[in-house]
Amino acid sequence: MSECTHDCSSCGENCGERTEPQSLLKPHNPAARVGKVYGVVSGKGGVGKSMVTSQLAVLARRAGHRTGILDADVTGPSIPRVFGVHRRAMADERGMLPVETDTGIGLISVNLLLDNETDPVLWRGPIIGGVVTQFWTDVIWDVDYLFVDMPPGTGDVALSVFQSIPLDGIIIVTSPQELVGMVVEKAVKMAEMMSVPIVGIVENMSYLLCPDCGREIPLFGQGKTLAAADAHHLRLLARMPLDPVLARLADQGRIEDFQGQWLAPVAEAVLSGE
C-alpha cells in the first residue's frame, strides 16, 4: 500500500480510515452569476444537440432571461457559427468574458479562442476535459440559464461535465431510427450514475412537413422515441421536423431569427423547473 494522502476521492484502497468520496463539483468563477444549468446530451452524434441547445437559449432569451451557452463539444464546435459569431473571446484580470450574440446570449466555445475557426482541435481527452471545466470555472457568466451543448456519447468530456458542473438537469436528444432505445438508455444510465435529473426527451428529424398538403412525412420511419421514453418513465417533450427554414438560418448564422415553436414545451419545462 502506498503512503496515505488522506484524500479518499482519489484512492482505491479500502482501509479503516476511508470516508465517503469528496464531491468533484467545481465552483464557478467568483465574479460570475449563474442560475440554473442544463445539459443537452445524446448517446450518439448527428442528432442535432447543438440545434436544440441554440433554440432553447433563444426561447429563454425571448422570455426575458439572461442566457448563455457553454459549448462543450470541443472537437466539433458549431454554436458560434449558427449564431453568426466570429469574434475572439476576451479576458480581463477576473477571467474570460463570454462573447454576446445580437440578442445578448453569452457564448463560450473553443472556436472563439482559435486563430482560425476551421483549425482542427487535435487534443487528447484529458486536455479537452480540462478546457471544458475551465469554461465553467474561469468564465465570467452572468446568466439566469446556462445551457451546456455536450459532446456525443458518454466519454471523457461528458464525464468531466457531469462531475465538474452542477447540472440541474439534462435534455436527451434522439432521432427516430431503430437504435433510439439503445441511445436513450446510454444517456439515461449515465444520468442515473451521476445523479442528474432528466427533464425529458426531444426527438429531432421526426418528419418532413409537406409544403403543399401539410402532411407529416416520416422520412426515417415512425419514431420509436415514445416507446423508449415510456420504458424509462420519461416525458417526450417535443418532436422536431426537418425544417428547411431552420437549416438555412443556421447556415447563415441567423438562428436567432427563427420563429418556430417546436421546442416551446421543452423551454417551458426548463423555465418552470418541472
Side-chain angles (χ1 to χ4, degrees), residues 89-101:
M90 307 301 289
D92 61 21
E93 67 280 359
R94 301 171 301 160
M96 195 182 308
L97 302 169
V99 177
E100 289 201 350
T101 70

Side-chain angles (χ1 to χ4, degrees), residues 86-142:
H86 305 285
R87 304 184 300 278
R88 293 284 298 271
M90 307 301 289
D92 61 21
E93 67 280 359
R94 301 171 301 160
M96 195 182 308
L97 302 169
V99 177
E100 289 201 350
T101 70
D102 290 343
T103 64
I105 297 172
L107 308 180
I108 202 69
S109 169
V110 74
N111 262 16
L112 303 176
L113 305 177
L114 300 175
D115 291 330
N116 187 340
E117 63 182 23
T118 61
D119 288 343
V121 177
L122 303 177
W123 302 338
R124 296 192 182 276
I127 298 176
I128 295 175
V131 169
V132 171
T133 301
Q134 285 186 287
F135 284 169
W136 168 251
T137 60
D138 294 5
V139 174
I140 307 172
W141 296 106
D142 180 16

Side-chain angles (χ1 to χ4, degrees), residues 8-24:
C8 298
S9 65
S10 61
C11 176
E13 298 291 340
N14 189 23
C15 69
E17 295 186 11
R18 185 167 185 82
T19 61
E20 288 298 314
Q22 298 177 356
S23 171
L24 299 177

Side-chain angles (χ1 to χ4, degrees), residues 40-44 47-50 52-53 171-175 183-184 200-204 240:
V40 181
V41 310
S42 178
K44 68 182 291 292
V47 298
K49 291 184 303 301
S50 298
V52 170
T53 304
I171 296 99
I172 299 173
V173 183
T174 73
S175 55
V183 171
V184 170
I201 301 178
V202 173
E203 182 182 85
N204 191 24
M240 285 180 59

Side-chain angles (χ1 to χ4, degrees), residues 206-253:
S206 299
Y207 56 91
L208 177 67
L209 199 63
C210 177
D212 296 322
C213 66
R215 183 170 63 93
E216 294 183 5
I217 304 171
L219 294 179
F220 301 107
Q222 293 297 333
K224 308 297 188 294
T225 305
L226 181 58
D230 289 343
H232 295 283
H233 309 290
L234 299 173
R235 293 180 293 173
L236 176 57
L237 294 171
R239 295 173 64 243
M240 285 180 59
L242 288 160
D243 190 329
V245 175
L246 175 59
R248 182 175 68 253
L249 289 173
D251 287 343
Q252 295 173 348

